[in-house]
Amino acid sequence: GGAVSHKYSFDYDNTLIQYVYVYDDEGKIVDAKYDTPHMENIRLLRHLSVQGHKIYITTARTEGVRLEEHIDNSPSPEELIGTMKLPVEKVFYTDGACKVSTLIDNGIREHWDDCSEQCARIEEQAGNIIKANLVDAPTGIDCFLKNKFEKLNEASNKERG
């Protein structure tokens, strides 16, 4: 009998990949651009996998929605998994919805997320079964990105008619 295997989940934006804010001349935040994979959390993900645990990505992104390169050049979760050979079982897309029910439905034991609101909701609604870990990220960047992606999605939907 080896060690017990658990299911662990990581948020995607600002958790497995990092963004940097873009500022205008007055120092106002005007955009957030993809920077690099978040190596600290990727090392943790790999470490947990090597210990025999199953790893998932749970993202509020919408599956299959790609923004144009000049707007957002971040890799999709599948691209990151492919290029970095990440030991991820599956990507769960919540399409902007709260992640708690997805985590519960899939038996996730522990989740890492940069959104304090998501972590608080997990603690409130499932704290007895799921541990939420708040990941360090620039303050407010999760809300900023969420708004950016929502605006861009709306715009691209309009263009498609």
Side-chain angles (χ1 to χ4, degrees):
V4 178
S5 171
H6 292 304
K7 292 179 176 182
Y8 291 123
S9 165
F10 288 81
D11 170 45
Y12 187 63
D13 294 293
N14 290 317
T15 300
L16 294 180
I17 61 173
Q18 289 176 302
Y19 287 79
V20 289
Y21 280 129
V22 179
Y23 300 89
D24 67 10
D25 298 340
E26 278 97 56
K28 191 169 151 300
I29 295 167
V30 290
D31 199 4
K33 287 268 182 231
Y34 169 65
D35 187 27
T36 56
H38 197 314
M39 291 316 296
E40 186 189 342
N41 293 331
I42 285 173
R43 278 193 287 275
L44 173 62
L45 181 158
R46 288 197 164 119
H47 173 72
L48 292 168
S49 172
V50 166
Q51 290 182 320
H53 301 297
K54 296 207 179 313
I55 311 297
Y56 299 84
I57 291 173
T58 307
T59 175
R61 284 188 177 203
T62 302
E63 188 166 8
V65 169
R66 284 312 301 266
L67 304 174
E68 292 161 42
E69 289 287 318
H70 68 276
I71 298 172
D72 178 65
N73 62 342
S74 65
S76 70
E78 289 80 6
E79 285 168 341
L80 189 77
I81 290 165
T83 55
M84 299 198 72
K85 310 219 179 330
L86 298 180
V88 172
E89 301 287 318
K90 190 172 163 62
V91 181
F92 301 119
Y93 289 90
T94 69
D95 200 8
C98 181
K99 297 171 185 166
V100 179
S101 57
T102 301
L103 299 174
I104 294 169
D105 292 349
N106 292 285
I108 303 299
R109 266 296 178 85
E110 211 167 322
H111 176 72
W112 281 261
D113 207 303
D114 71 302
C115 178
S116 54
E117 196 185 308
Q118 285 290 341
C119 289
R121 284 196 190 166
I122 293 164
E123 292 291 337
E124 276 165 29
Q125 297 173 31
N128 57 330
I129 50 171
I130 303 169
K131 183 176 190 288
N133 300 290
L134 186 61
V135 170
D136 199 30
T139 307
I141 198 164
D142 52 333
C143 300
F144 186 92
L145 279 172
K146 196 172 182 204
N147 292 336
K148 173 183 173 173
F149 284 123
E150 280 169 5
K151 282 193 194 98
L152 293 168
N153 280 343
E154 283 166 22
S156 68
N157 288 341
K158 278 196 191 92
E159 278 169 30
R160 282 191 226 115

